[in-house]
């Protein structure tokens, strides 16, 4: 552990007037002669010397914790958010990476007696929202490794002075999900070793053996905090060029030549995904798939150019846009508009590749993906990958271009295609490292490793899908086993139905929760949002329609079960259908919408 690493573990002591956070190492041994003290009444922070101010252990409750996520103000006051449990995912370059499995939101104030009944209602909902976000799988951290930057970025930009900065200052702000929550600690350099950057996305690390050579294969997917949210409520780009559901996925190979850590070589290949970079929306309205909406007044060329110039600023190099949306039906308009503005913008670092995934692979004929692979083979070879030479940075090689893949959700089709590109690049990396010979035409020639690779990418796809759409990804059977299966199709059906209900009836609340967690919404106890108290069950035509539908359904069941009156049953059936038609036609009024922040 260096002077800039975050402490591995802590003991949290809770007293009536203060919290004490005492650093420990992984075995529970005291790791510092000082501790962090938080005043529960004033909210002040200070470091105390243990020998000057011994901790009165017998007077407080103690809880072992893995780290501090941050501090947030809700209605009753400030709350401390900590990591109660975390599991080790694996190591990258000798640094441990952990997945958060349990957290706790602890109020400074032990009582809510000072709140009105209305304030208590808001307090409960806001606290539940924070817990809802934290319960979403996919929060990762390392106390010594920068998960938020790619290996190539670190090799190109991490000077000795940079490496001496605290972990939070070194981290890429685009991918630190608790930056807002740690702001009270980050402002003071003294608290740097208590301030832990947390990434949202996926980290998977597997040990591999291929033809006698052992190495690690890892995937790190980083979800951006900009335009973060859920399917349907976050689409397209914002005014600064950030696109919704933007994820940077880095595939890493760690190879100790001759089992010697001093001869360690790291290679990586980076891909990106993000919502179609235009101004568009697709609000849920009870229909199975709402129609995407492009407003004529919006400057789509400006949206596209801003996004792509932002990508060049962040990554440099060339960019290939792989657009997988349908060329017919509801997706045609937005896919065609993306192609049009790409041609109109005529950016010299951007190339557009359109591939109608569903048309080309219809009837489960997914072998036709080789058509797309052939279209990108030269780009993958030309863009290359990052390679770090042990002991001689001058012999490093760098990735010079990036593939940006999108479908409508940037989930299911995107997962399949990104795994295909990653597999192609990985073959080149393993050949370059001497792990496989150049005559190897496909990783399928190494079946055990191919199985591991496919499942790692399928796990990545599932995780990204759960975070955006609320379920595991569709089409993962192809990613896992290389073909479509009956069981996979049935699982897709279940996930599709589950998505429908979550996207229509739960996601507005989840979007509010994410905005609250990221600091896009600030709680002001003196000015609580009245929109948050709105409900579809109210005294207007919408509330009447719901009550009418429930009442007519009940009457219909009574006629069937009690009176056995066919005429009355048909009458109430028609009434029920009429109410349901009203609800369906006005579907946007009946879905669960965000109420804290409107996009």
């Amino acid at each position: 552990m260096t002077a800039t690493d975050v402490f591995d573990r802590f003991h949290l002591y809770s007293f009536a007037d203060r919290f004490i956070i005492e650093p420990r190492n992984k075995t529970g041994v005291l790791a510092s002669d000082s501790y962090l003290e938080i005043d529960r009444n004033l909210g002040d922070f200070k470091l105390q010397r243990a020998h000057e101010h011994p901790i009165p252990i017998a007077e407080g409750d103690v809880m072992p914790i893995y780290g501090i996520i941050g501090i947030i103000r809700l209605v009753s006051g400030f709350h401390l958010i900590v990591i109660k449990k975390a599991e080790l995912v694996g190591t990258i370059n000798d640094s441990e990476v952990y997945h958060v499995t349990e957290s706790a939101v602890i109020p400074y104030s032990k009582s809510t007696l000072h709140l009105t009944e209305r304030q208590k209602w808001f307090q409960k909902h806001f606290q539940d929202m924070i817990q809802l976000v934290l319960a979403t799988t996919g929060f990762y951290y390392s106390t010594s490794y920068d998960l938020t930057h790619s290996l190539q970025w670190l090799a190109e930009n991490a000077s000795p002075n940079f490496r001496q900065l605290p972990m939070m200052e070194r981290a890429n702000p685009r991918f630190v999900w608790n930056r807002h929550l740690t702001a009270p600690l980050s402002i003071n350099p003294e608290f740097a070793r208590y301030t832990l950057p947390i990434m949202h996305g996926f980290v998977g690390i597997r040990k591999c053996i291929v033809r006698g050579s052992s190495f690690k294969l890892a995937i790190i997917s980083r979800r951006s905090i900009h335009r973060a949210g859920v399917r349907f409520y976050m689409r397209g780009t914002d005014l600064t060029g950030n696109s919704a559901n933007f994820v940077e996925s880095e595939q890493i190979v760690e190879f100790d030549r001759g089992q010697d850590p001093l001869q360690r070589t790291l290679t990586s290949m980076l891909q990106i995904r993000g919502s179609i970079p235009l101004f568009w929306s697709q609000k849920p309205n009870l229909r199975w798939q709402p129609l995407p909406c492009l407003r004529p007044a919006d400057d789509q060329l400006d949206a596209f150019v801003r996004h792509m110039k932002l990508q060049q600023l962040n990554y440099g190099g060339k960019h290939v846009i792989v657009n997988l949306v349908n060329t017919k039906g509801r997706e045609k308009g937005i896919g065609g508009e993306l192609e049009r503005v790409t041609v109109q913008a005529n950016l010299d670092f951007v190339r557009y590749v359109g591939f109608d995934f569903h048309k080309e692979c219809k009837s489960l004929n997914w072998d036709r993906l080789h058509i797309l692979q052939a279209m990108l083979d030269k780009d993958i070879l030309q863009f290359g990958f990052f390679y770090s030479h042990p002991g001689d940075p001058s012999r490093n090689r760098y990735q010079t271009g990036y593939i940006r893949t999108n479908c409508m959700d940037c989930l299911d089709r995107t997962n399949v295609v990104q795994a295909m590109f990653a597999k192609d690049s990985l073959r080149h990396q393993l050949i370059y490292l001497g792990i496989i010979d150049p005559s190897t035409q496909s990783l399928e020639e190494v079946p055990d490793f191919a199985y591991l690779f496919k499942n790692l990418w399928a796990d990545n796809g599932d995780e990204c899908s759960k975070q955006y759409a609320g379920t595991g990804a569709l089409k993962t059977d192809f990613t896992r086993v290389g073909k479509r299966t009956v069981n996979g199709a049935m699982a897709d059906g279940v996930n599709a139905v589950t998505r429908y209900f979550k996207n229509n009836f739960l996601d507005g609340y989840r979007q509010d929760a994410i905005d609250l967690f990221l600091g896009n919404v600030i709680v002001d106890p003196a000015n609580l949002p009245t929109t948050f108290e709105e409900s579809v069950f109210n005294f207007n035509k919408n509330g009447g329609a719901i009550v009418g539908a429930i009442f007519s359904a009940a009457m219909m069941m009574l006629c069937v079960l009690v009176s056995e009156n066919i005429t009355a049953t048909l009458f109430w059936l028609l009434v029920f259908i009429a109410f349901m038609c009203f609800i369906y036609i006005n579907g946007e009024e009946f879905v669960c919408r965000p109420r804290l922040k409107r996009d």
Side-chain angles (χ1 to χ4, degrees):
M1 175 176 282
T2 69
T4 61
D5 293 345
V6 178
F7 290 116
D8 288 306
R9 304 282 193 278
F10 302 91
H11 278 179
L12 170 63
Y13 298 93
S14 297
F15 301 94
D17 61 339
R18 57 185 166 150
F19 294 118
I20 287 178
I21 301 173
E22 180 188 50
R24 299 271 173 164
N25 65 19
K26 284 179 286 190
T27 61
V29 175
L30 198 65
S32 175
D33 62 355
S34 61
Y35 58 81
L36 176 65
E37 181 178 281
I38 304 175
D39 189 305
R40 296 180 73 163
N41 298 313
L42 302 176
D44 295 336
F45 306 87
K46 58 183 174 182
L47 286 182
Q48 298 279 29
R49 296 284 183 182
H51 66 277
E52 296 175 1
H53 303 276
I55 301 173
I57 296 175
E59 299 176 16
D61 299 325
V62 61
M63 176 195 300
I65 62 173
Y66 281 71
I68 303 170
I69 295 176
I71 294 154
I72 190 169
R73 185 186 184 188
L74 301 179
V75 183
S76 67
F78 289 101
H79 293 62
L80 177 66
I81 309 174
V82 298
I83 302 169
K84 287 183 68 176
K85 293 181 181 178
E87 61 182 5
L88 178 66
V89 177
T91 61
I92 299 178
N93 211 15
D94 298 326
S95 293
E96 294 181 338
V97 180
Y98 289 88
H99 180 217
V100 177
T101 57
E102 187 179 348
S103 56
V105 181
I106 308 169
Y108 284 20
S109 175
K110 287 191 172 184
S111 170
T112 59
L113 294 176
H114 61 292
L115 302 180
T116 65
E117 288 303 315
R118 181 170 180 265
Q119 287 176 324
K120 289 178 182 177
W121 185 87
F122 274 94
Q123 168 66 23
K124 179 183 183 305
H125 278 279
F126 288 153
Q127 192 162 342
D128 288 346
M129 282 181 167
I130 299 301
Q131 293 282 20
L132 176 64
V133 175
L134 292 170
T136 305
T137 58
F139 285 101
Y140 297 87
Y141 72 89
S142 173
T143 59
S144 56
Y145 181 82
D146 185 358
L147 287 172
T148 64
H149 280 116
S150 67
L151 290 174
Q152 177 161 316
W153 190 95
L154 291 170
E156 292 180 309
N157 298 281
S159 64
N161 289 338
F162 176 84
R163 294 181 187 277
Q164 294 306 310
L165 293 174
M167 286 284 292
M168 185 60 79
E169 287 189 45
R170 298 203 311 257
N172 187 339
R174 290 190 297 146
F175 302 119
V176 179
W177 273 62
N178 65 329
R179 179 168 288 274
H180 166 71
L181 298 174
T182 57
L185 293 171
S186 300
I187 58 175
N188 191 332
E190 287 187 325
F191 308 144
R193 299 192 67 186
Y194 295 82
T195 312
L196 181 68
I198 294 178
M199 184 202 82
H200 198 213
F202 175 78
V203 179
I205 305 170
R206 303 290 186 269
K207 294 181 180 179
C208 312
I209 298 177
V210 173
R211 295 177 178 170
S213 295
S214 62
F215 59 93
K216 289 180 184 176
L217 176 66
I219 298 174
I220 302 177
S221 284
R222 310 171 175 102
R223 286 174 57 82
S224 173
I225 66 169
H226 300 298
R227 203 155 177 75
V230 298
R231 183 182 186 231
F232 291 147
Y233 283 118
M234 277 297 158
R235 296 297 211 190
T237 67
D238 61 19
L239 294 174
T240 57
N242 293 296
S243 70
N245 197 26
F246 186 87
V247 182
E248 171 187 295
S249 294
E250 182 181 22
Q251 178 177 266
I252 298 172
V253 175
E254 179 184 303
F255 178 44
D256 293 346
R257 200 175 298 276
Q259 304 298 309
D260 182 4
L262 297 177
Q263 295 296 314
R264 175 167 297 162
T265 297
L266 296 165
T267 67
S268 74
M269 182 263 199
L270 199 69
Q271 298 185 73
I272 53 181
R273 73 173 78 185
S275 188
I276 294 172
L278 303 172
F279 295 132
W280 65 287
S281 61
Q282 194 181 14
K283 303 298 184 186
N285 56 9
L286 298 184
R287 288 164 175 76
W288 185 256
Q289 288 286 354
L291 286 174
C293 178
L294 290 162
R295 297 189 306 179
D298 288 335
D299 188 343
Q300 303 297 358
L301 178 62
D302 181 66
F304 174 79
V305 171
R306 283 179 184 269
H307 175 74
M308 294 313 302
K309 287 189 174 179
L310 183 63
Q311 299 316 298
Q312 189 183 45
L313 177 66
N314 288 329
Y315 300 101
K318 302 285 186 179
H319 291 258
V320 175
I321 297 174
V322 177
N323 184 22
L324 303 174
V325 303
N326 300 342
T327 53
K328 292 183 179 179
R330 63 182 178 82
E331 298 182 3
K332 177 182 178 181
I334 191 167
E337 184 68 3
L338 176 59
E339 183 175 9
R340 184 191 70 80
V341 296
T342 305
V343 173
Q344 186 179 356
N346 194 29
L347 300 174
D348 59 2
F349 62 93
V350 176
R351 185 167 85 89
Y352 174 89
V353 175
F355 184 81
D356 187 333
F357 187 102
H358 288 146
K359 176 184 175 183
E360 295 293 342
C361 301
K362 64 182 179 181
S363 302
L364 303 183
N365 190 16
W366 287 40
D367 289 340
R368 291 180 61 80
L369 281 171
H370 76 270
I371 298 172
L372 177 60
Q373 185 173 9
M375 296 166 69
L376 273 294
D377 269 347
K378 289 183 179 179
D379 295 288
I380 293 172
L381 189 60
Q382 179 184 346
F383 293 166
F385 49 85
F386 170 72
Y387 164 80
S388 68
H389 188 278
D392 188 0
S394 65
R395 296 177 63 181
N396 288 1
R397 58 181 288 177
Y398 298 93
Q399 185 174 340
T400 60
Y402 304 89
I403 300 174
R404 183 201 190 279
T405 308
N406 73 259
C407 47
M408 289 298 288
D409 299 324
C410 304
L411 295 177
D412 311 318
R413 288 170 276 184
T414 297
N415 293 332
V416 172
V417 168
Q418 281 201 334
M420 181 179 70
F421 295 151
K423 186 178 175 183
D424 197 14
S425 174
L426 183 58
R427 184 177 70 89
H428 293 306
Q429 293 174 54
L430 297 183
I431 289 173
Y432 190 84
L433 294 172
I435 295 174
I436 61 176
D437 57 74
S439 64
T440 305
Q441 297 299 309
S442 170
L443 294 182
E444 296 296 336
E445 297 176 26
V446 192
D448 289 345
F449 175 66
Y451 175 83
L452 183 149
F453 168 86
K454 291 172 184 176
N455 278 276
L456 182 58
W457 268 94
D459 291 343
N460 173 68
D462 275 339
E463 199 77 19
C464 292
S465 181
K466 289 174 185 175
Q467 293 158 11
Y468 188 55
T471 73
L474 311 185
K475 304 176 176 67
T476 52
D477 54 334
F478 182 84
T479 309
R480 291 188 190 279
V481 301
K483 63 181 180 180
R484 284 297 260 158
T485 65
V486 173
N487 288 339
M490 292 175 63
D492 284 357
V494 172
N495 279 338
V497 172
T498 304
R499 279 185 187 180
Y500 173 82
F501 281 98
K502 285 190 173 184
N503 298 162
N504 280 282
F505 305 117
L506 299 176
D507 273 2
Y509 188 85
R510 197 156 66 101
Q511 182 65 56
D512 283 335
I514 292 171
D515 284 327
L516 180 63
F517 187 88
L518 291 175
N520 299 329
V521 173
I522 304 298
V523 174
D524 180 1
N527 186 26
L528 296 172
T530 57
T531 55
F532 193 63
E533 298 173 281
E534 295 173 359
S535 171
V536 293
F537 293 98
N538 49 37
F539 298 103
N540 61 16
K541 65 180 187 302
N542 294 339
I546 293 174
V547 172
I550 295 172
F551 180 77
S552 57
M555 291 300 295
M556 182 174 59
M557 293 301 295
L558 283 173
C559 290
V560 171
L561 299 175
V562 179
S563 67
E564 299 182 359
N565 188 322
I566 296 177
T567 303
T569 301
L570 290 175
F571 170 78
W572 286 113
L573 174 61
L574 291 174
V575 173
F576 174 74
I577 291 172
F579 279 122
M580 292 306 296
C581 286
F582 176 85
I583 292 171
Y584 185 75
I585 292 169
N586 299 278
E588 197 166 328
E589 298 297 320
F590 291 87
V591 298
C592 177
R593 293 177 291 176
R595 293 170 183 163
L596 296 180
K597 180 177 180 290
R598 301 292 171 87
D599 185 42

